[in-house]
């Protein structure tokens, strides 16, 4: 396990034009409760998103994993528009493996109003830029449920490549899919690919929407 004192688990704020990623805190609770109700995101059976009444426990869970050295959680703050200054979702560096210079970007969700917008693209750009250029990552992973087609398409649009599918990887605990098994799609971007992926994302961000 990575000691929390390493830079990989030290809180950091990443700022872009559309989004600001700041260290997750209980102060974000009310915004996140409002955000998760936009689209009733917890109802998606192939995801694990906290219900409004469980949001405080979810924030505390992520912070405890940060203290243990395996996660660095962020609140996603909108930088413009009607939601400017408010938390509109969460994302993390998770499964941090500093000795092998790898991590996963995951446990990500956004309120419906900002899904498939420049904010989402910029969040991934900010996270990967920090991972590759500041932390010196060899590889950044993305994992998602086989049936989460929207997530898989979004990961592929980033330029990530499918490493494989972990079949019957986890037992699903969602009440709408009791006892089902999750096949997990594992994607990655490696350090040698980052310059091309970076150029692609910057091009996407520069396009008029």
């Amino acid at each position: 396990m990575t000691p929390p004192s390493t830079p990989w688990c030290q809180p950091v704020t990443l700022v872009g034009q559309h989004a600001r990623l700041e260290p997750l805190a209980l102060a974000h609770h009310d915004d996140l409760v409002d955000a998760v109700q936009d689209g009733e995101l917890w109802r998606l059976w192939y995801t694990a998103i906290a219900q409004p009444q469980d949001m405080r426990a979810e924030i505390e869970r992520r912070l405890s994993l940060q203290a243990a050295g395996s996660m660095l959680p962020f609140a996603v703050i909108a930088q413009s528009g009607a939601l400017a200054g408010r938390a509109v979702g969460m994302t993390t560096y998770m499964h941090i493996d500093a000795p092998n210079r790898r991590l996963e970007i995951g446990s990500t969700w956004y309120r419906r109003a900002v899904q498939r917008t420049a904010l989402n693209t910029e969040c991934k750009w900010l996270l990967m830029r920090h991972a590759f250029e500041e932390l010196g990552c060899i590889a950044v992973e993305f994992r998602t449920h086989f049936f989460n087609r929207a997530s898989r398409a979004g990961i592929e649009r980033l330029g990530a490549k499918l490493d494989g599918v972990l079949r019957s990887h986890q037992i699903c605990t969602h009440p709408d899919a009791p006892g089902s098994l999750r096949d997990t799609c594992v994607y990655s971007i490696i350090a040698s690919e980052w310059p091309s992926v970076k150029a692609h994302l910057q091009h996407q961000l520069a396009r008029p929407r």
Side-chain angles (χ1 to χ4, degrees):
M1 184 177 292
T2 306
S5 59
T6 72
W8 292 61
C9 294
Q10 287 299 310
V12 62
T13 299
L14 307 175
V15 181
Q17 178 182 350
H18 306 283
R20 183 175 76 256
L21 300 176
E22 62 184 39
L24 181 66
L26 285 172
H28 298 115
H29 173 267
D30 291 352
D31 278 354
L32 293 171
V33 167
D34 182 64
V36 80
Q37 293 180 89
D38 182 4
E40 297 186 328
L41 303 179
W42 65 91
R43 296 190 182 279
L44 298 173
W45 72 271
Y46 46 75
T47 64
I49 300 175
Q51 297 186 48
Q53 65 269 25
D54 298 326
M55 190 60 66
R56 179 174 296 274
E58 174 60 11
I59 293 171
E60 291 174 343
R61 183 188 73 86
R62 295 190 186 209
L63 293 177
S64 70
L65 289 172
Q66 178 179 333
S70 65
M71 178 180 282
L72 184 59
F74 298 90
V76 179
I77 312 299
Q79 289 280 76
S80 59
L83 295 167
R86 297 184 61 189
V88 295
M90 291 194 283
T91 191
T92 75
Y93 287 149
M94 56 193 291
H95 299 141
I96 293 172
D97 183 2
N100 290 301
R101 292 161 55 193
R102 300 179 67 93
L103 54 76
E104 177 187 343
I105 295 173
S107 291
T108 302
W109 61 266
Y110 308 102
R111 65 184 301 153
R112 178 179 288 176
V114 301
Q115 293 175 12
R116 298 200 66 178
T117 68
L119 177 142
N120 182 13
T121 303
E122 189 172 64
C123 284
K124 296 298 191 295
W125 175 73
L126 289 167
L127 288 165
M128 285 193 286
R129 183 181 66 174
H130 184 71
F132 285 117
E133 298 180 12
E134 301 299 327
L135 299 179
C137 274
I138 291 173
V140 171
E141 286 188 6
F142 302 87
R143 298 188 177 203
T144 193
H145 196 298
F146 179 84
F147 282 107
N148 195 340
R149 307 292 185 182
S151 177
R152 290 177 62 186
I155 292 169
E156 290 169 4
R157 280 195 299 271
L158 295 173
K161 295 180 173 62
L162 180 66
D163 294 322
V165 180
L166 302 177
R167 302 187 66 191
S168 296
H169 180 226
Q170 293 175 325
I171 298 172
C172 182
T173 59
H174 196 284
D176 291 341
S180 67
L181 298 176
R182 165 175 158 148
D183 290 346
T184 299
C185 295
V186 182
Y187 293 83
S188 69
I189 294 170
I190 60 176
S192 62
E193 296 168 339
W194 170 237
S196 294
V197 170
K198 180 180 180 180
H200 168 66
L201 294 179
Q202 290 178 161
H203 174 73
Q204 295 297 316
L205 289 169
R207 293 173 56 191
R209 293 176 179 257

